[in-house]
Amino acid sequence: MIVKSAVAPPGPGRLELGRTLPSLFAEAVEKRPNDRAFNGRVSMVPGRPGGPGLPWRSYSNADFVRRAQALAVGLRAMGLERGDRVALFVHSDLSFALTDMACLIGGLVDVPVYLTHTHEAMRYIVEQSGAAAVLASDEALLGEMLRVTAGLDRIKFLAVAHGQVPAGSGAGRLVTSLDAIEAKGEAALAREPELVARFASEIHPKDVATIIYTSGTTGAPKGVMLSHENLTSNAIGALSDLSTYREGAGETVLSFLPLTHIFGRTLLYASIYFGSSVYFGTTDSVREDLQEVKPTFMAAVPRVLEKSWERMEAVGDTLTGVKKALYARALAFAGAYDVRRPATGLAAAERGVLDRLVYSKWREALGGRLRTIIVGGAALRPELVNRLAAAHIVVLQGYGLTETSPVICYNRPEGNRPGTVGQAIPGVEMAVDDEGEILTRGPHVMLGYYGHPDETAKAIDGDGWFHTGDLGALDDDGYLSITGRLKSIFKLSTGKYVMPDPIVERLEANPLIATAIVVGSGEKYCTALLFLDHDGLAARYGGADAAVLAKPGLAGELREVVRRANEGMPDWSSVKRVAALLKVLTMADGSVTPKLSIRRDKVVADNREVVRALYAEAPAPAGALFLEVEVEPAGVGRGGARV
């Protein structure tokens, strides 16, 4: 039963229904022409993506759409039919934008494949989706996909975007290049110029545009079917409601999030529609890209901002004398700043001085022109929003899922409330039921899971509400706060239920801890596995090898971190023992999903001997630091704690 619901607040945002993605591309070319709409680095080595320091190549939106149209016609001329699935095994750069746009214009359904997936997962996605063709960025990725798809007879051809097609690489299968397919399309268009218009007339707004496989933290990947209307309504609704976003070439967007994820992809569609200049960077070159591109807008995950803040803090350690004292004051002022109560009077004057001397340099480190940073994908620490706001860096957190195209809500600049994920966007309803689960309904909700009607019925109820699996709270102004994950709740042997997310969030906010997993299902008390951050250890203790676990001070510091994380929690939810480990969790070992979520059950299973030792059921294995943490009674403040 729904206990509270909310819709979008009044604002400039608009809901547009009945649109297709090709119609957005066409409107941008007609109404918002931009000579530098698409920008990517030019590699000096054929078949390899460009990297930091290499020159940028620009395309107008008109030229780019024309190329995509020719490629679309070429793909259809290769024997693909409307509705056929096409697997995209491409880098998140111009090649993704081009192949994705071509598929959409051609009425094809593209299926992005994560470059970091295991070969087993890749094959499952290509096979389960029924892909009829595979498009790869370069020779290396083509070779990988040839191995992955061996024996899949449904695939009509494979194509490479950059580089040469290796002789004999197809092993009896048709392997070609995108250039050849595009040339075939250009020739067909010369004979039948009306082909693109015909394709457009065949596409319905509720047709499937893409199938995105969510690996999830348990079970096999599920293919999320998103329609043209899902994506167009979400893209227009989200950015049209952002007052700081400008239409036309005046907005410079740095895109470095994986386009295999829906967050970066929907923002790309919105940027194209509004006529922005999009620069395709990478997560490894963000610092260099910021300086070269000088963006006015970007989307990021929390870790990118956390690293930026850690670098800003580290600058103070290199200074001396008056400069060090000034920098320390700037950090302290930012640490006490509250975006909801802007500085006035003497505080405003001090902020102005600090801005000229310190904060302006922080903005320069981010390119100097950033007006807005949208953050999603994980929890963002509220204090980080406030600290950056002191330096006039606007950070807005939002929330959504692949199944919701993805944006459900986000904070607006005029009413930014750190600690929340903001208010609904136009056309979106969101609610909280009597169990605290977040529900949402509207044109952004997926069509369903491909080939899994039973799973779809579990996720979307008879009233059209999508059940997110996340727990949250709505305030009277319609701001949503995320409080946990429904599936993360577990029960102790005492019968008490534990919600571990608040403690996990506090633990992972410390630079020494990369990942924290609270354990205790069926046990008398809670323990935790702490996977230490190697960069944080190196910065603080001079190394990240086994010897660091015996460094003086580390055990005491970790105890204090855990004690602080326990503050205010019920006794039964507090962590009483921890094991600190140096192991790095990766996608290669299956511990981490492509969306960087932790597969908790797998990590616990892989470290079962450590967990047994935490409960004194087995000897402590080597390579881990075991610590006892005395839990303070409920209501005891910091002064009464004993560690």
Side-chain angles (χ1 to χ4, degrees), residues 10 149 381 571 593:
T149 61
R381 290 149 43 196
D571 292 351
T593 74

Side-chain angles (χ1 to χ4, degrees), residues 25-26 29 38 60-70 101 105:
F25 308 149
V29 171
F38 296 87
S60 69
N61 49 8
D63 288 341
F64 203 80
V65 170
R66 273 195 294 270
R67 282 200 62 191
Q69 290 172 341
M101 185 181 287
I105 291 171

Side-chain angles (χ1 to χ4, degrees), residues 546-570:
V548 77
L549 296 179
K551 289 272 188 177
L554 178 60
E557 184 169 359
L558 289 176
R559 282 197 186 94
E560 176 64 8
V561 170
V562 178
R563 188 191 67 76
R564 287 175 180 245
N566 281 335
E567 284 183 349
M569 301 300 295

Side-chain angles (χ1 to χ4, degrees), residues 5-62:
S5 63
V7 296
R14 63 185 189 272
L15 171 64
E16 289 196 20
L17 301 176
R19 299 294 301 269
T20 66
L21 285 160
S23 77
L24 264 58
F25 308 149
E27 182 177 327
V29 171
E30 179 185 354
K31 297 183 178 179
R32 292 172 285 276
N34 183 352
D35 288 339
R36 303 180 68 86
F38 296 87
N39 305 270
R41 292 186 186 276
V42 179
S43 175
M44 300 304 167
V45 181
R48 293 185 185 175
L54 294 176
W56 294 89
R57 181 174 181 178
S58 300
Y59 296 87
S60 69
N61 49 8

Side-chain angles (χ1 to χ4, degrees), residues 280-364:
F280 295 96
T282 70
T283 52
D284 294 330
S285 62
V286 171
R287 294 178 69 179
E288 296 87 350
D289 294 338
L290 284 167
Q291 294 306 307
E292 293 184 30
V293 175
K294 301 187 185 306
T296 58
F297 175 91
M298 73 176 188
V301 292
R303 190 57 189 144
V304 171
L305 292 187
E306 288 166 1
K307 286 185 175 181
S308 296
W309 178 257
E310 288 164 9
R311 286 195 296 269
M312 292 173 186
E313 287 184 310
V315 168
D317 297 334
T318 67
L319 303 175
T320 59
V322 174
K323 288 184 178 180
K324 186 177 184 69
L326 178 65
Y327 204 84
R329 179 56 200 156
L331 288 173
F333 186 93
Y337 191 78
D338 186 346
V339 70
R340 296 183 63 179
R341 287 178 283 277
T344 58
L346 291 176
E350 181 180 9
R351 185 190 186 197
V353 173
L354 293 173
D355 189 75
R356 289 193 298 275
L357 299 176
V358 179
Y359 298 150
S360 59
K361 295 179 174 59
W362 292 4
R363 294 195 297 277
E364 288 171 9

Side-chain angles (χ1 to χ4, degrees), residues 201-231:
S201 69
E202 295 172 348
I203 302 171
H204 190 276
K206 296 191 184 298
D207 285 346
V208 180
T210 187
I211 302 175
I212 300 178
Y213 280 77
T214 59
S215 41
T217 53
T218 59
K222 295 196 294 281
V224 176
M225 296 185 291
L226 297 176
S227 71
H228 286 263
E229 186 173 75
N230 285 151
L231 295 164

Side-chain angles (χ1 to χ4, degrees), residues 169-192:
S169 62
R173 289 181 288 173
L174 176 58
V175 181
T176 184
S177 69
L178 287 189
D179 286 344
I181 297 175
E182 189 176 335
K184 183 185 286 285
E186 289 173 347
L189 279 172
R191 296 190 301 269
E192 301 179 75

